[in-house]
Each structure stands twice: as C-alpha cells, then as structure tokens.
C-alpha cells in the first residue's frame, strides 16, 4: 500500500516538475524574444538576478524585518487573546452570551475596509499593521478554541467528575488537551491569512515593509522585482503555516497521528 | 450492613418541550458489602441511567440511594466507574491515564507508583504503560480503564457494559480476569450488561429490569462458587430461564432463587 503510494507520488511529481519547468521556459523565451513586454512578465533569470541584488545590496532586509515583526506581534497577540477569551467563554457561558454578538459583528466587517480608520487611529506605521493582523487572526483562533472545547466528548467530562476534579482541573487537564487539535486548526488557518492582511495594508500606506516594496516596484514598472517579492511573500506564508503545523506535530502527534 | 441501598428510586427525563419520559420506576435494591450484582434488561430499560445515578453523575427524580447509609450526592471517590468504551484520555499514555485519579486526589508519588505497579501487573498491562490509547486494542484499553478505577481503591465498582465493545475471546479473558481480581480483593461490584451468559458467569445475584420504564422484574441468586465453568449446566439453564422471563415481560414475581 505504502509502496504503491510512493510510486504514484514520484510519477505525479515528475509531471508537476515538468509543468513548472515548461512554464519557466516559456516565460524566459517570451520575454527574452520580446514577444511579451517586460512590463507584463519577467524572465526567471531576471527575477533571480533582481532578487539576489536586493538581498546583497541590503535593500530587502530592513523591509523584510519590518513585515516579520508586524506579523509576529499581531499574530501572537491574536493567539494569546483568542485562546484566552475562548477558554473564558467555556468557563463562563454568560460571558459568551454577552460577547458573542459583538465578536460576530466585528468578525463580519471586512477587515480591509476598516484600514482607513486604523490608520487614523494608529498612524501608518507599525501599530496599525499589528492591529489589522490581530483582527485578521483573532476570531478564527477564538471560535476554533470554543468549538474544540465544546466538542470535548462528554465522556471525558464524566471521567473528570468521577474522579472529583475541580472546575479548574477539568479545564486544564481535560478541556484544553481535548481542544488542542481544534485550537491548532484555528492557529493554522489564521497563519495562512495574516500575510494577506499585512501585505495589503503595507501596499495601501506605509513607510516600510514588503508590501511597501511591492507597490514601489510596481509604480516603477520593475516587474521582475514584483515577481521576486510575490515569491518571497508566498514562501514566508507557507513557512509560517509549516512552523505552526510543526508545533502542533510536536504537541499532539504522539496520540493523534498513529 | 448493605453497601448500597436504593429506596423508591424514580427517574424521568424531561425534554425541551417539557414532556417527561419515565426511565426508571420505583427501584428498590440492596447490594451487600462484597457482593457482585449484575443488572440485565432489554436495551433502553434504564440500566445506564441507574448506574449513573449510583455513580452520582445524574440526579434522581425522587427516591434515595444510600452508600453505607449516607445519601449519594454527587460523585465520590468511594465509587469507581468503568465506562463502556473505556473513555481513556487519548492524549495521555496508559500510565498517565491510570494515575489521573490519584493525581487529582493528591495521592503521594511513592504510593501512586506502588498502586500503579500493582494494577499494571494485575490487569496484564506490563509493556503497555507508555503506549497511547489509540495504539491499544479495545480489550487493552478496557484493562486500562478498569485499572484506572481500581487504583483509587473504591468501595464500590460500577461497570456499564464494560466488555460489550470487545471481541468474544477477549471478553471471556477479561471476565476471567475480573473474577480473579475480585477473589483477590473482595470489592462490591455493580455490573450492567445485556449479555445473560456474562451475567450468570460473573454475578452472585442477577437483577432483571423490565422494559421501559425499568422496574425490578426479578432477582436470581447464582449459587455456584468461583471459579466457575462457563459451560456449567446450572449457569446455562439459569441464563435460559432469564431469557424466558425477559420474553414474558413485565410480570412482577417476588425474588426467585434458582437451584439445580
Ligand atoms: N439524557 C437523556 N435524555 C432523555 N432521555 C434519555 C436520556 N438518557 C437516556 N434516556 C432514555 O432513558 C431510557 C433509558 O436509557 P438508558 O439508561 O441509557 O438505557 P440502557 O442503558 O438500559 O440501554 C431510554 O429510553 C433513553 O432513551
Ligand atoms: Mg446503556
């Protein structure tokens, strides 16, 4: 079974690699021969050259760091608040009853639409980006935490009751471990969306960041640089999700993925 | 002095519309210290409901349950429970699952280790201590579930169809192990099952409940010393007799003893 899967995997992988190679070759040819203008497309060699130049001449690093700082600050704030509030809701159902309407309302607002307000309140720098990322991520994490804790099988709660676990013990020893897979689900989903938020807001108004670099490259018609930054942002996004998945694996794999 | 005394116990469930369904009606039982009692009856007759009320997991509608003359109010460490599907925490190893109750009860570490080692051995769980529940067969999981209840040294052990989810051969082994453990430490056991052969093989007394609402239809004393042979004529005839009585339904005879 395993072997069969492996064989099919390599066969399909080969096809996929071929497809990508064909696409890259076409780009190289189309731009190189002048069939497609450099404004619309970039040759892969050009993208690589521009990328290496940005890395070596030091233009990239400060912007990369700004974006990463914004993402990490906003995301970890969202994780801390989302998980804590989610568990408080499970602890105090009245609190959920009270807060749920407000959370649902704020969640319904397209986050990008409130960017103008955030800029008015927090300026065009670091703070407004962190707040936007926070808003992008926090509800996904919150609702996944709550769902996970609520889905905790009643049989586990019964076991806790039979052994006379206190409410606090039940939450920390039963509810949270039972909700962990769902919490991580929220963390992963949120990680996949935060880059969208930060790049968008940096493109709208910023003095630094990858989004800022991107809109700058675009206005200079430096299409090769645009491509390079898009690739970089994508890699960061994927890497971020992988880090969260790895953390989940470390914490849950022993009993989940058997 | 009886360990468990159940007086005029009633239970109705009320749904959202306020309609009440009677699950149990006027249950009166006395379970003596060290006695092994099996509750049998058609599914839906209220066996689990009765067990959960004795466990203190569920409130009765009226009537009382006394444990050593003290009313049962909420769960208690004097009462151990073994659930149908073991209900082990999937995120804990077998060992951590078994010590869970002792951790909550703040049993000193050395004492925990001692009791853990004893029941790991008694339940044949050696070499499985550090495995996760998902890595174990249903029978192994249930062994851990029983060990988790027994390490607390409960006065009464409540078991709700504990072997119904395991295959026949494993079930027979587990039954034999339960008998052996009970001979070593004379605990009161309240065992729910719908398997009549299992009931007569294990119990000192079998109590048959009527279909819903559950009432005590009949009691049978199993007068055969352990270790028993499960193919013993007497046991087979007793099981057949209970089967026939289930067919007859709700007749309320007085307690009957059945001799060869
Ligand atoms: N939480 C509940 N709410 C409403 N009815 C219930 C509930 N639990 C059990 N019942 C009903 O009570 C009756 C007895 O159930 P149960 O004790 O589980 O029976 P058994 O264990 O003998 O199969 C059944 O008819 C069942 O539908
Ligand atoms: Mg049942």
């Amino acid at each position: 079974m395993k072997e069969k899967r492996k064989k099919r995997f390599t066969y399909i992988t080969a096809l996929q690699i071929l497809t990508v190679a064909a696409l890259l070759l076409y780009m190289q040819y189309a731009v190189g021969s002048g069939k497609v203008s450099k404004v619309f497309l970039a040759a892969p060699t050009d993208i690589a050259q521009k990328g290496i130049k940005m890395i070596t001449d030091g233009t990239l690093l400060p912007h990369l760091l700004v974006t990463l700082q914004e993402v990490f600050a906003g995301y970890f704030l969202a994780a801390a608040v989302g998980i804590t509030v989610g568990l408080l809701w499970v602890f105090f159902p009245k609190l959920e009853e009270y807060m749920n309407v407000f959370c649902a309302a704020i969640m319904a607002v397209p986050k990008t639409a409130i960017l103008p307000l955030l800029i008015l309140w927090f300026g065009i720098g670091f703070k407004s980006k962190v707040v936007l990322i926070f808003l992008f991520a926090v509800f996904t994490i919150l609702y996944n935490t709550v769902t996970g804790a609520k889905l905790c099988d009643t049989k586990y709660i019964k076991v806790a009751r039979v052994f006379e676990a206190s409410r606090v013990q039940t939450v920390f020893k039963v509810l949270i471990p039972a909700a962990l897979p769902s919490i991580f689900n929220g963390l992963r989903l949120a990680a996949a969306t935060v880059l969208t938020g930060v790049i968008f807001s940096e493109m709208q108004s910023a003095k630094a960041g990858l989004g800022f670099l991107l809109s700058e490259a675009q206005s200079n018609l430096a299409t090769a640089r645009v491509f390079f930054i898009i690739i970089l942002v994508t890699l960061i996004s994927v890497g971020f999700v992988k880090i969260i998945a790895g953390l989940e694996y470390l914490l849950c794999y022993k009993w989940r993925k058997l | 002095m009886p360990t468990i005394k159940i007086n005029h116990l009633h239970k109705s469930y009320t749904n959202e519309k306020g309609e009440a369904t009677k699950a149990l009606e006027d249950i009166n039982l006395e379970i003596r210290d060290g006695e092994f009692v099996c509750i049998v009856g058609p599914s839906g007759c209220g066996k689990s409901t009765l067990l959960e009320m004795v466990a203190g997991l569920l409130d009765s509608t009226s009537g009382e349950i006394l444990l050593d003359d003290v009313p049962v109010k909420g769960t208690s460490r004097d009462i151990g429970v073994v659930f149908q599907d073991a209900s082990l925490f999937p995120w804990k190893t077998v060992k951590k699952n078994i010590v869970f109750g002792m951790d909550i009860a703040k049993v000193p570490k050395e004492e925990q280790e001692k009791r853990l080692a004893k029941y790991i051995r008694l339940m044949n769980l050696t070499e499985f201590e550090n495995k996760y529940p998902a890595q174990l067969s249903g029978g192994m999981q249930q062994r851990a579930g029983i060990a988790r209840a027994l390490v607390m040294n409960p006065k009464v052990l409540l078991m709700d169809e504990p072997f119904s989810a395991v295959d026949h051969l494993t079930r027979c082994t587990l039954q034999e192990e339960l008998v052996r453990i009970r001979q070593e430490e004379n605990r009161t056991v309240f065992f729910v099952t719908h398997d009549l052969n299992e009931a007569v093989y294990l119990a000192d007394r079998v109590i048959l409940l009527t279909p819903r609402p559950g009432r005590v239809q009949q009691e049978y004393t199993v007068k055969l010393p352990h270790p028993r042979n499960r193919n013993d004529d007497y046991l087979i005839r007793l099981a057949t007799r209970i089967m026939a009585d289930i067919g007859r339904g709700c007749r309320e005879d007085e307690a009957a003893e059945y001799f060869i």
Side-chain angles (χ1 to χ4, degrees):
Chain A
M1 177 75 196
K2 214 171 185 178
E3 219 169 302
K4 210 170 170 185
R5 197 135 123 220
K6 223 174 180 176
K7 246 184 208 161
R8 218 172 72 202
F9 179 73
T10 46
Y11 158 67
I12 288 186
T13 311
L15 256 179
Q16 288 165 336
I17 291 171
L18 272 176
T19 310
V20 174
L23 196 70
L24 290 177
L25 276 174
Y26 169 73
M27 282 167 76
Q28 189 75 38
Y29 163 76
V31 177
S33 66
K35 282 209 166 111
V36 177
S37 156
K38 268 187 177 163
V39 174
F40 299 115
L41 212 57
T45 47
D46 219 18
I47 297 174
Q49 258 171 19
K50 286 286 181 327
I52 290 166
K53 184 160 174 290
M54 281 171 78
I55 294 169
T56 47
D57 71 5
T59 44
L60 182 71
L61 192 64
H63 294 284
L64 177 66
L65 286 180
V66 166
T67 300
L68 288 181
Q69 276 168 7
E70 288 164 352
V71 166
F72 282 112
Y75 182 79
F76 283 108
L77 203 61
V81 172
I83 294 170
T84 311
V85 173
L87 293 174
L88 282 175
W89 281 13
V90 178
F91 234 123
F92 308 107
K94 290 276 171 214
L95 191 67
E96 179 183 4
E97 217 176 301
Y98 165 73
M99 283 178 72
N100 198 1
V101 171
F102 300 113
C103 285
I106 301 173
M107 193 168 88
V109 179
K111 304 302 166 300
T112 47
I114 37 178
L115 185 61
L117 276 181
L118 295 181
I119 289 168
L120 282 178
W121 294 338
F122 301 104
I124 60 165
F126 188 71
K127 266 194 235 155
S128 63
K129 310 293 180 295
V130 172
V131 174
L132 187 77
I133 292 162
F134 172 79
L135 290 174
F136 253 86
V138 72
F139 299 105
T140 312
I141 298 171
L142 167 67
Y143 282 105
N144 272 281
T145 304
V146 174
T147 311
K150 280 188 181 161
L151 281 181
C152 171
D153 208 316
T154 48
K155 70 188 185 188
Y156 300 138
I157 304 290
K158 275 188 194 169
V159 173
R161 284 179 63 200
V162 161
F163 290 112
E164 296 193 85
S166 68
R167 223 175 135 81
V168 176
Q169 283 172 324
T170 306
V171 168
F172 283 95
K173 288 177 187 273
V174 181
L175 227 47
I176 294 181
L180 216 50
S182 182
I183 292 175
F184 268 107
N185 204 29
L187 288 174
R188 247 185 300 108
L189 287 172
T193 57
V194 287
L195 257 290
T196 318
V198 74
I199 297 301
F200 176 81
S201 67
E202 283 173 352
M203 285 173 73
Q204 290 305 301
S205 57
K207 291 170 285 189
L210 292 176
F212 169 76
L213 269 189
L214 194 58
S215 64
E216 198 192 44
Q218 182 217 14
S219 55
N220 292 336
L221 299 180
T223 309
R225 276 171 68 175
V226 169
F227 267 99
F228 174 73
I229 296 167
I230 291 172
I231 292 167
L232 183 65
V233 168
T234 308
L235 288 179
I236 293 172
S237 189
V238 171
F240 193 25
V241 174
K242 287 266 186 251
I243 288 173
I244 302 299
L247 208 60
E248 176 182 18
Y249 184 79
L250 275 181
L251 279 169
C252 308
Y253 85 102
K254 282 191 221 136
W255 55 275
R256 283 189 72 205
K257 293 173 184 140
L258 292 167
Chain B
M1 187 175 69
T3 307
I4 306 174
K5 200 163 187 321
I6 300 174
N7 294 324
H8 302 294
L9 191 72
H10 291 256
K11 177 69 192 180
S12 326
Y13 286 106
T14 313
N15 65 9
E16 314 84 58
K17 289 183 207 147
E19 298 156 345
T21 324
K22 269 190 196 168
L24 288 171
E25 196 171 60
D26 198 26
I27 303 288
N28 295 284
L29 281 176
E30 280 190 19
I31 297 168
R32 289 181 295 281
D33 194 20
E35 195 176 14
F36 196 126
V37 169
C38 276
I39 309 286
V40 297
S43 94
C45 74
K47 303 181 295 292
S48 297
T49 303
L50 180 58
L51 181 132
E52 291 207 357
M53 286 196 289
V54 176
L57 286 166
L58 194 64
D59 291 328
S60 64
T61 306
S62 68
E64 59 176 1
I65 301 169
L66 304 172
L67 176 67
D68 288 338
D69 293 326
V70 183
V72 170
K73 287 214 168 56
T75 54
S76 139
R77 283 177 193 150
D78 288 334
I79 298 177
V81 184
V82 177
F83 296 91
Q84 181 165 356
D85 64 346
S87 298
L88 300 174
F89 297 133
W91 56 86
K92 284 183 188 288
T93 59
V94 166
K95 188 169 152 183
K96 292 265 172 63
N97 263 291
I98 295 175
V99 301
F100 177 76
M102 295 194 286
D103 262 342
I104 301 278
K106 301 210 165 60
V107 174
K109 275 277 178 273
E110 318 87 77
E111 176 67 17
Q112 285 196 19
E113 289 296 327
K114 239 171 68 191
R115 291 199 217 166
L116 176 72
K118 176 181 170 190
Y119 286 99
I120 290 274
R121 186 173 41 78
L122 265 180
M123 294 311 303
N124 290 329
L125 282 164
T126 322
E127 287 169 34
F128 292 94
E129 298 141 88
N130 296 317
K131 291 251 190 314
Y132 286 86
Q135 293 169 302
L136 303 186
S137 65
M140 272 300 169
Q141 290 185 20
Q142 199 49 281
R143 283 195 171 96
I146 295 171
R148 178 175 67 179
L150 287 176
V151 286
M152 300 300 286
N153 287 324
K155 283 183 190 159
V156 181
L157 190 61
L158 308 180
M159 306 177 86
D160 191 356
E161 306 199 18
F163 306 148
S164 62
V166 295
D167 63 272
H168 182 72
L169 282 178
T170 312
R171 189 183 319 165
C172 292
T173 317
L174 287 169
Q175 288 165 358
E176 280 150 28
E177 282 174 9
L178 186 60
V179 167
R180 200 190 66 220
I181 284 166
R182 220 196 46 114
Q183 281 178 308
E184 276 182 44
E185 29 184 84
N186 207 26
R187 271 183 227 280
T188 308
V189 184
F190 184 98
F191 190 106
V192 167
T193 177
H194 60 241
D195 179 343
L196 297 178
N197 295 315
E198 177 171 78
V200 295
Y201 176 69
L202 292 172
D204 299 323
R205 191 151 54 108
V206 178
I207 290 160
L208 171 62
L209 299 184
T210 64
R212 202 182 64 190
R215 276 170 287 122
V216 176
Q217 182 180 330
Q218 203 140 354
E219 296 187 11
Y220 312 82
T221 303
V222 188
K223 299 219 158 174
L224 190 68
H226 283 289
R228 293 170 180 172
N229 174 354
R230 61 177 78 243
N231 295 319
D232 194 295
D233 254 3
Y234 169 77
L235 293 183
I236 290 171
R237 274 153 65 191
L238 182 53
T240 314
R241 156 119 194 256
I242 299 173
M243 196 64 206
D245 288 345
I246 291 175
R248 275 214 302 283
C250 315
R251 254 186 58 206
E252 267 179 304
D253 297 16
E254 59 267 30
E257 286 188 359
Y258 189 71
F259 300 97
I260 308 171

